């Protein structure tokens, strides 16, 4: 490279980088602040919980993970019946989130603001966020847990 082509290539590189940055989808400051923070109660060594947390962060949520010896007391405190239990319990925007609930369903919950305890994905279905195993996907339902503990299907994944 000679002294004449070097500035030209440097200018082209800066232009390409600027164009690439403009084409990336970004959250505006207002959109980022619109998502309330998530607090997750999980056991220390649960790998799928860490993967679900990464899923939530990739969806734009700020997540604080708290390692606890047992998630059952948190589940009970937040109003999720034991029959809907999974490996981690979270709270976000005044709602309880139990298990591997997709971020899109949590965003829908926060937008619709139903009178409810929150959402649950009982068990640990393969293919749910944080439980990915290749292309294998088990069918599962995201449940809307009502204030009286009853649940109805909020969204089905088949």
């Amino acid at each position: 490279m000679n002294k004449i082509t070097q500035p030209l290539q440097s200018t082209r590189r800066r232009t390409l980088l600027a164009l690439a940055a403009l084409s990336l989808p970004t959250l505006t400051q207002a959109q980022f602040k619109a998502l309330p923070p998530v607090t997750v109660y999980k056991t220390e060594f649960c790998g799928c919980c860490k993967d679900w947390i990464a899923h939530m962060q990739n969806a734009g949520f700020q997540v604080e993970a708290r390692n606890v010896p047992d998630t059952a007391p948190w589940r009970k405190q937040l109003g999720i019946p034991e029959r809907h239990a999974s490996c981690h319990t979270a709270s976000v925007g005044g709602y309880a989130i139990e298990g591997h609930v997709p971020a899109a369903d949590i965003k829908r919950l926060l937008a619709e603001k139903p009178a409810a305890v929150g959402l649950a994905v009982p068990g640990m279905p393969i293919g749910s966020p944080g439980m990915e195993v290749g292309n294998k996907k088990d069918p599962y339902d995201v449940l809307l847990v009502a204030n009286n503990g009853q649940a109805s299907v909020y969204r089905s994944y088949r």
Side-chain angles (χ1 to χ4, degrees), residues 119-153:
L119 299 175
V121 172
M124 299 167 65
I126 300 297
S128 61
M131 290 296 298
E132 294 89 354
V133 179
N135 291 330
K136 186 170 174 15
K137 293 186 186 235
D138 292 338
Y140 69 95
D141 293 325
V142 175
L143 304 177
L144 178 66
V145 180
N147 292 324
N148 65 3
Q150 297 301 310
S152 59
V153 175

Side-chain angles (χ1 to χ4, degrees), residues 87-107:
C87 60
H88 59 266
T89 303
S91 62
V92 59
Y95 290 103
I97 306 296
E98 182 66 24
H100 295 268
V101 178
D105 295 326
I106 296 169
K107 288 178 179 180

Side-chain angles (χ1 to χ4, degrees), residues 38-123:
V38 179
T39 303
V40 180
Y41 304 94
K42 65 177 204 59
T43 57
E44 184 176 0
F45 300 107
C46 185
C48 66
C49 296
K50 292 175 187 170
D51 292 343
W52 183 78
I53 289 168
H55 165 77
M56 293 294 289
Q57 290 170 328
N58 289 337
F61 286 94
Q62 291 182 350
V63 181
E64 177 190 351
R66 295 184 183 174
N67 290 327
V68 297
D70 183 8
T71 58
W74 294 100
R75 191 169 25 262
K76 182 177 181 180
Q77 180 180 331
L78 293 171
I80 298 289
E82 195 62 33
R83 67 183 173 277
H84 301 311
S86 185
C87 60
H88 59 266
T89 303
S91 62
V92 59
Y95 290 103
I97 306 296
E98 182 66 24
H100 295 268
V101 178
D105 295 326
I106 296 169
K107 288 178 179 180
R108 176 181 158 206
L109 176 78
L110 294 170
E112 293 176 352
K113 298 184 184 341
V117 170
L119 299 175
V121 172

